[in-house]
Amino acid sequence: MTRHDCLARDAVDALSPLRALFALDRLDAEGIVYLDGNSLGVLPRATPDRVREVVASEWGVGLIRSWNAAGWITLSQRIGDKIARLVGAGPGELVVADSTSINLFKVLSAAISMAKTDTPSRRRIVSERSNFPTDLYIADTLAREHGFELALMDDDEVGTAVDDRLAILLLTHVNYRTGRMHRMAEVSRAAHAAGALMVWDLAHSAGAVPVDLRASGVVDDAGDFAVGCGYKYLNGGPGAPGFAWAHPRHTARMDREQWRQPLSGWLGHAAPFEFTADYRPAPGMSRFICGTPPMLSLAALECGVDTVLAADAHGGITALRRKSVALTDVFIELVEWRCRGHGLRVVTPRDVTVRGSQVALAHDTGAYAMVQALIARGAIGDFRAPDILRFGFTPLYTRFVDVWDAVDRLRQILETGEWREPRFNVRAAVT
Ligand SMILES: Cc1ncc(COP(=O)(O)O)c(C=O)c1O
């Protein structure tokens, strides 16, 4: 494979027009390759104007009238419906609110309260030791509060944890470090067969890999609850709100039982502008909204989600997935060929059916410094402690030639040994 071959693949890539939706001109002019859209997606070209409009016109002129006139009050639900299309959920089933961490607190609380009623003898939440820390911390706190036990398994042990003690299985679909992806329907089915509830974290999936939360109507294979992130593959901007989903059979039951989630704020009330002293949960997923949503962030998030929906005209998520697999395949092949002999190991599965849209390489001692040296050479990935160099591939804007150039620069920093320079070993707050 040559750089020319990569350029030739870009020339026939049916998704290539989508790259124009992103403000990449400055990066392109500076020769910077960005392989970190799994951490913070690239700025969509439409976002600055839209945010400016919200500030100058909707806020500046419309002021309080914009809650009605500009549709601010229903914006969370409107964007929720758009994200729902990307994760196999229906309209009205998914809300945008708060952060992924806070949404996890809310949906896991719901799952715990259901488990307490339906399977009172089960007191076990199982997750993976390698799950993202916020998921583990929140699960641990809730488990302690409700007299549950949080059992952490190694990735290959999770199957064995599905037994008659299990109340809730909490997994991240695509692992943030390794990029390993669970077979969602299969795992949900196993959890349900054991009588447990299934909670999915889609932070590294939504917008990047096909997700079918509802399992096309097969209840046993569907998830029960899910959360996800707005600033990664959904390109919503730094700190963009996250989202929460519950299977409609659960929200129907919540309606029947007037169930309230623990962050029962006024905008999750059935009639917030009646300002009553008592809390009455809004129907369906709307009860998962807590307080006033951040309009500027929501406006930016909507632009980001629209970039993913724009792929519909080019084959949609299936085409995005095909390109993502091809990009990660090329990256792995090039690293193994051009960077061999430097102690790097490919951690991400070769099996594309269990690979997300990122590739993790491990190095025993130099991972952090290598990432910094690579960034200095204009190829941006990130480091995940203790030993991972992580590279994300966003098929909306990542080109095959970007993959070539990133690996070429990686080879250069390895062969020159420049990553050993002390300046690349200075730890920044964010890695
Ligand atoms: C898998 C996963 N879950 C949850 C989070 C936390 O998201 P937030 O900080 O937006 O709450 C992250 C952040 O990167 C993540 O990767």
Side-chain angles (χ1 to χ4, degrees), residues 256-274:
R256 282 195 305 277
E257 297 175 4
Q258 285 293 292
W259 183 84
R260 53 170 78 189
Q261 53 102 352
L263 300 179
S264 45
W266 76 298
L267 279 182
H269 190 281
F273 285 87
E274 285 176 13

Side-chain angles (χ1 to χ4, degrees), residues 99-101 132 134-135 172 176 201 203-204 231-232:
S99 64
T100 309
S101 305
F132 190 78
T134 213
D135 297 46
T172 294
Y176 79 105
D201 180 338
H204 295 271
Y231 49 78
K232 300 178 190 293

Side-chain angles (χ1 to χ4, degrees), residues 38-39 98-104 131-135 138 172-177 201-204 227-232 239-242 384 390:
N38 55 320
S39 207
D98 308 314
S99 64
T100 309
S101 305
I102 292 175
N103 288 325
L104 183 64
N131 201 347
F132 190 78
T134 213
D135 297 46
I138 284 180
T172 294
H173 184 215
V174 175
N175 185 279
Y176 79 105
R177 293 178 80 246
D201 180 338
L202 304 177
H204 295 271
V227 294
C229 181
Y231 49 78
K232 300 178 190 293
R384 284 296 172 264
R390 190 174 72 152

Side-chain angles (χ1 to χ4, degrees), residues 120-132:
S121 62
R122 295 165 183 240
R123 291 273 150 166
R124 203 168 205 214
I125 302 171
V126 167
S127 195
E128 289 166 315
R129 198 163 282 118
S130 67
N131 201 347
F132 190 78

